[in-house]
Amino acid sequence: MRTQVAIIGAGPAGLLLSHLLAADGVESVVLETRSREYVAARIRAGLLESSTVDVLAGCGLDGRLREQGLEHRGIYLQWPEERHHLDFVDLVGRSVWVYGQTEVTRDLVAARDAAGQQFVYEISDTALHDLDGDCPYVTYVDIDGREQRLDVDAIAGCDGSFGPSRKAIPSSVGRTWERTYPFAWFGILADVAPSTDELIYAWHAEGFALHSMRSESVSRLYLQVSPDTDPATWSDDQIWEALARRLGHGQNGWELHPGPITDRSVLPMRSYVYEPMRYGQLFLAGDAAHIVPPTGAKGLNLAVADVALLAPALAAMINKGDRGAADSYSDRALRRVALHALLVVDDDHAAHTRRRL
Ligand SMILES: Cc1cc2nc3c(=O)[nH]c(=O)nc-3n(C[C@H](O)[C@H](O)[C@H](O)COP(=O)(O)OP(=O)(O)OC[C@H]3O[C@@H](n4cnc5c(N)ncnc54)[C@H](O)[C@@H]3O)c2cc1C
């Protein structure tokens, strides 16, 4: 098979990239190890920054978001006995939207299906070849066990933190910064209306807690725990009691309403930044190049920001032979990543980032 861009990974980065490339007349094939159903049902991020909403609006993908998403002016920061509202709109003129990654994925898949996008699901043994030449290609084994080869002009590595794209770059070329934190978040989804109109970030002597939400009827809550916590050992009552204490149930008449817990998991906290985000004809985007812990709700937003830079850069390179934006892609994308990573990665990286900026 031949196409212009092989997109490895059908997460938000890969799906959005295929959409933006098509708008610029660039053909792509999206390769994915998981099934279509698995990709559509995956529950992850839930908070969209205004820049992400702007990108989705710019390509006509904000219809359901504006109907069903919840626009928030800001967040609450609290510690025992005190809660303060931080109004982003007053402070910086921008709001945030609660709209699940599952919904973003559904909108993107629907748009790509309607446009006849080529997807190849349930592949294995994905491998990238000849990245530093003019004729790169990807090989994989399809769902029927047949070996396949896809020849392309460029490869977009949108395959998350464990995919093969980043690993295909020679180790002598790349640099990484990584920090693993000594705590984790115990996250639950509950079928209960949120007990708050906007997110509550709470400091407590027992540990941090966050009251977030996915919709008007589904709440998402987190407790800071030790990374070795087994979520199965906590009863539902224990979880709700810890949340009530840390979030200040009863404080100034505020109440936390418990409900049936439908999902629970412990999320390790890790920061990871890889540079460069481009090697030859391979371009990395999203979690393939950087991971930030869920504390700042940044991952999905950074993935969208990468793709908003990458799509026009690839289109200019492929349609007009203009390599300028492709050549500067890594530096421009990392500048935004670094601004966020600066807060969370180690001192060496912070110093290096300051020099770059
Ligand atoms: C529990 C949780 C909560 C989060 N909350 C937030 C939040 O509130 N806000 C926020 O902005 N971010 C959040 N994030 C982060 C966000 O979900 C990720 O940053 C986002 O999914 C990145 O998108 P991506 O497309 O780069 O990578 P992914 O979504 O990881 O997609 C990569 C795709 O590549 C596929 N793939 C992997 N290997 C191969 C291969 N060999 N061949 C082909 N395909 C392959 C994978 O199956 C996957 O479909 C959260 C993450 C988690 C886990």
Side-chain angles (χ1 to χ4, degrees):
M1 255 199 302
R2 173 155 186 96
T3 189
Q4 290 175 304
V5 179
I7 299 178
I8 306 181
L15 291 169
L16 180 62
L17 182 63
S18 71
H19 193 72
L20 295 177
L21 286 176
D24 277 332
V26 176
E27 189 187 79
S28 64
V29 173
V30 179
L31 304 172
E32 168 62 51
T33 42
R34 301 288 193 165
S35 68
R36 168 184 283 269
E37 296 71 31
Y38 182 93
V39 167
R42 194 162 37 196
I43 295 171
R44 281 185 169 182
L47 201 77
L48 306 184
E49 294 171 355
S50 63
S51 52
T52 298
V53 174
D54 290 347
V55 172
L56 296 175
C59 53
L61 287 173
D62 61 334
R64 277 201 327 127
L65 188 164
R66 295 203 192 270
E67 270 170 40
Q68 296 174 21
L70 306 173
E71 186 174 17
H72 286 186
R73 288 184 67 93
I75 54 169
Y76 296 100
L77 294 181
Q78 86 167 36
W79 52 92
E81 306 307 328
E82 270 187 70
R83 182 176 294 175
H84 297 270
H85 188 240
L86 216 62
D87 194 305
F88 297 159
V89 179
D90 282 351
L91 291 166
V92 294
R94 286 167 176 235
S95 60
V96 291
W97 286 76
V98 172
Y99 189 64
Q101 183 168 327
T102 319
E103 304 306 319
V104 175
T105 303
R106 189 182 298 172
D107 295 343
L108 281 163
V109 169
R112 298 316 304 138
D113 280 346
Q117 173 70 43
Q118 268 191 283
F119 287 103
V120 188
Y121 288 102
E122 298 185 61
I123 65 166
S124 54
D125 296 341
T126 317
L128 296 76
H129 309 271
D130 286 356
L131 299 177
D132 51 359
D134 289 332
C135 305
Y137 62 98
V138 181
T139 54
Y140 58 92
V141 174
D142 70 17
I143 189 172
D144 299 317
R146 288 176 307 214
E147 287 183 15
Q148 302 284 359
R149 170 174 166 150
L150 181 60
D151 289 280
V152 293
D153 297 320
I155 300 172
C158 302
D159 43 0
S161 57
F162 301 109
S165 296
R166 189 181 65 244
K167 294 174 197 146
I169 300 177
S171 55
S172 56
V173 172
R175 303 178 66 186
T176 59
W177 289 269
E178 188 166 15
R179 173 173 282 188
T180 302
Y181 297 89
F183 47 80
W185 275 11
F186 187 165
I188 61 159
L189 270 178
D191 274 343
V192 60
S195 303
T196 175
D197 57 342
E198 295 188 343
L199 275 63
I200 305 171
Y201 286 77
W203 181 90
H204 190 275
E206 280 180 29
F208 173 82
L210 169 61
H211 189 330
S212 179
M213 68 271 303
R214 284 291 180 266
S215 69
E216 281 170 353
S217 56
V218 176
S219 296
R220 177 83 165 137
L221 299 109
Y222 297 95
L223 290 165
Q224 178 188 333
V225 292
S226 149
D228 56 9
T229 302
D230 176 357
T233 59
W234 286 52
S235 70
D236 288 13
D237 285 347
Q238 272 177 308
I239 295 170
W240 285 113
E241 282 160 17
L243 285 165
R245 279 194 306 278
R246 297 191 198 182
L247 288 166
H249 177 84
Q251 183 177 307
N252 297 322
W254 180 79
E255 290 183 351
L256 176 68
H257 302 294
I261 295 175
T262 56
D263 187 73
R264 57 170 72 196
S265 58
V266 170
L267 312 172
M269 295 275 159
R270 186 166 78 104
S271 298
Y272 179 95
V273 179
Y274 179 88
E275 97 171 322
M277 288 173 65
R278 185 247 178 118
Y279 173 71
Q281 294 302 90
L282 168 66
F283 298 80
L284 302 178
D287 280 13
H290 41 74
I291 298 283
V292 286
T295 41
K298 277 281 162 211
L300 171 60
N301 293 292
L302 287 175
V304 169
D306 288 349
V307 167
L309 292 175
L310 181 56
L314 289 177
M317 184 178 84
I318 291 167
N319 292 337
K320 301 180 197 151
D322 174 356
R323 294 181 164 265
D327 288 346
S328 63
Y329 164 70
S330 178
D331 278 352
R332 287 183 293 131
L334 280 167
R335 184 164 301 159
R336 185 185 181 101
V337 174
L339 281 171
H340 302 293
L342 191 63
L343 303 171
V344 292
V345 185
D346 60 30
D347 293 341
D348 280 354
H349 183 257
H352 174 78
T353 304
R354 274 187 217 104
R355 282 197 299 279
R356 291 171 58 87
L357 294 174

